[in-house]
């Protein structure tokens, strides 16, 4: 069994898109297709149905992906742990963040955790808004500091730890650019830039509403995966994007203006984790993050 074929299969089973699979694996679409065909020959059955418009798993492919996923994840984690141990770094605790201000808090808490667990270091990784809960469920991280609300029956959350005023990012050439502030009603008729289609509907409506408080429509014009893509569209005058207040500092650009939104609810951030991974080390880290947030 070729490891690359297995990775291609599991990634394509998740993405159901050859282009995105190639992107994630840093290879070409043609190479992904070759690996999938080779893997199907090994299995002796078609694992995907392909048309010009979509890719779907066959019944055999769906069953195989479910059975292989946990084994593949365990192998990857064991290899990563061994690599870290070989470098003398101990066992990592993988923590996700959705904004640099969240990463700062996680790193601060990691320094405190080292006193109690000296063989542990915190491996901080960015989680994109286009798939805010996918990496946590895929066990790529053990806990993450992310935007609330999160209301999922299979996940646990802390109290909100960070609260930020809500701003609107616009091009310096936008008609709002010279204003001191705007209201949510001003968003009527604007082209709103949003993130991906894997965000839960209740989160999407909270962060990127379809209507103003008075019911006037807000158009969702562009869907992106990464924050820098959104900022590029904003700078080009192709839409506006809602953001937390710290974006002004971490994502400053001379061609973008951040406007406070009068009367808008703040953006809150908190911890999210899976109950099946709770252990003393993870809970100690969660307590360290909460303590660091209280002091900041």
């Amino acid at each position: 069994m070729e490891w690359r074929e297995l990775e291609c299969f599991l990634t394509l089973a998740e993405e159901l898109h050859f282009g995105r699979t190639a992107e994630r694996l840093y290879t070409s679409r043609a190479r992904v297709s070759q690996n999938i065909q080779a893997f199907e020959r090994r299995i002796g059955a078609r694992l995907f149905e392909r048309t010009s418009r979509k890719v779907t798993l066959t019944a055999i492919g769906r069953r195989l992906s479910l059975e292989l996923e946990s084994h593949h994840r365990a192998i990857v984690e064991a290899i990563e742990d061994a690599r870290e141990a070989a470098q003398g770094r101990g066992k990592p605790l993988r923590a996700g963040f959705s904004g640099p201000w969240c990463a700062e808090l996680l790193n601060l808490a990691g320094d405190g955790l080292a006193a109690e667990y000296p063989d542990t270091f915190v491996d901080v990784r960015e989680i994109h808004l286009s798939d805010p809960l996918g990496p946590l469920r895929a066990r790529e991280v053990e806990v993450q500091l992310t935007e609330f609300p999160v209301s999922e029956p299979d996940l646990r959350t802390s109290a909100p730890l960070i609260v930020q005023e809500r701003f609107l990012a616009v091009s310096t050439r936008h008609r709002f650019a010279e204003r001191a502030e705007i209201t949510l009603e001003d968003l009527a008729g604007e082209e709103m830039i949003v993130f991906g289609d894997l965000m839960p509907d209740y989160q999407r409506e909270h962060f990127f509403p379809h209507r103003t408080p008075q019911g006037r429509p807000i158009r969702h014009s562009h869907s992106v995966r990464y924050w820098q893509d959104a900022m590029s569209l904003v700078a080009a005058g192709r839409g506006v994007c809602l953001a937390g207040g710290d974006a002004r500092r971490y994502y400053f650009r001379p061609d973008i203006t951040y406007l406070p939104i009068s009367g808008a609810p703040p953006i809150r951030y908190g911890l999210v984790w899976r109950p099946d991974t709770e252990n003393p080390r993870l809970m100690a880290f969660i307590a360290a993050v909460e303590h660091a947030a209280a002091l900041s």
Side-chain angles (χ1 to χ4, degrees):
M1 181 72 66
E2 291 288 338
W3 181 257
R4 195 62 171 172
E5 294 174 9
L6 179 60
E7 282 194 317
C8 277
F9 167 69
L10 289 173
T11 306
L12 184 58
E14 181 182 341
E15 294 288 352
L16 297 178
H17 189 283
F18 278 84
R20 291 195 296 269
T21 298
E23 225 175 83
R24 280 181 55 180
L25 297 178
Y26 301 100
T27 188
S28 66
R29 294 174 63 130
R31 188 60 180 161
V32 171
S33 182
Q34 291 168 5
N35 282 323
I36 293 300
Q37 290 173 9
F39 194 60
E40 288 178 328
R41 286 195 295 270
R42 290 180 189 277
I43 301 300
R46 290 182 66 83
L47 304 175
F48 298 93
E49 296 293 347
R50 312 163 180 81
T51 70
S52 59
R53 302 185 65 178
K54 66 178 182 178
V55 178
T56 58
L57 282 161
T58 63
I60 293 175
R62 189 176 303 107
R63 176 182 172 184
L64 182 61
S65 68
L66 290 173
E67 293 179 347
L68 285 176
E69 182 183 4
S70 61
H71 299 293
H72 175 263
R73 183 172 59 244
I75 292 171
V76 170
E77 289 179 356
I79 291 172
E80 288 189 8
D81 289 352
R83 183 182 294 119
E84 299 295 349
Q87 295 173 359
R89 298 185 66 191
K91 182 176 177 59
L93 187 153
R94 300 180 182 90
F97 68 92
S98 61
W101 45 92
C102 296
E104 283 189 3
L105 191 58
L106 295 175
N107 284 325
L108 187 62
D111 293 340
L113 184 69
E116 189 173 353
Y117 291 88
D119 62 337
T120 292
F121 73 96
V122 178
D123 181 5
V124 177
R125 306 178 180 190
E126 184 174 10
I127 307 298
H128 299 289
L129 273 176
S130 53
D131 186 13
L133 302 176
L136 183 65
R137 287 195 167 112
R139 299 176 183 269
E140 294 172 15
V141 295
E142 296 168 63
V143 62
Q144 67 185 63
L145 186 54
T146 191
E147 288 84 354
F148 276 10
V150 174
S151 180
E152 303 289 317
D154 60 327
L155 301 176
R156 289 189 178 158
T157 61
S158 70
L161 302 178
I162 299 174
V163 181
Q164 292 189 6
E165 186 179 355
R166 195 174 295 215
F167 281 73
L168 185 71
V170 303
S171 165
T172 52
R173 294 172 282 118
H174 192 277
R175 62 192 177 95
F176 292 161
E178 300 300 321
R179 293 175 57 172
E181 65 177 23
I182 63 166
T183 69
L184 288 172
E185 285 304 318
D186 290 322
L187 297 180
E190 289 296 318
E191 302 283 343
M192 180 72 70
I193 297 166
V194 300
F195 286 82
D197 57 359
L198 296 177
M199 181 182 290
D201 289 343
Y202 65 87
Q203 277 193 341
R204 180 185 295 275
E205 192 59 32
H206 180 79
F207 298 132
F208 309 108
H210 284 85
R211 294 188 177 277
T212 69
Q214 294 182 14
R216 300 160 67 197
I218 303 171
R219 293 194 297 272
H220 288 189
S221 58
H222 299 282
S223 181
V224 298
R225 297 188 70 190
Y226 306 114
W227 183 256
Q228 293 297 348
D229 294 340
M231 293 299 96
S232 294
L233 289 170
V234 168
R238 297 179 61 189
V240 300
C241 189
L242 293 166
D246 275 357
R248 296 171 298 168
R249 179 160 59 103
Y250 288 93
Y251 298 110
F252 170 79
R253 289 179 55 147
D255 49 4
I256 290 178
T257 295
Y258 291 93
L259 300 169
I261 307 174
S262 176
I267 298 179
R268 304 178 190 275
Y269 299 80
L271 293 168
V272 186
W273 67 94
R274 299 181 313 277
D276 65 317
T277 60
E278 289 181 351
N279 57 57
R281 186 184 70 149
L282 176 61
M283 301 316 292
F285 178 66
I286 289 171
V289 177
E290 292 174 333
H291 180 68
L295 296 177
S296 61

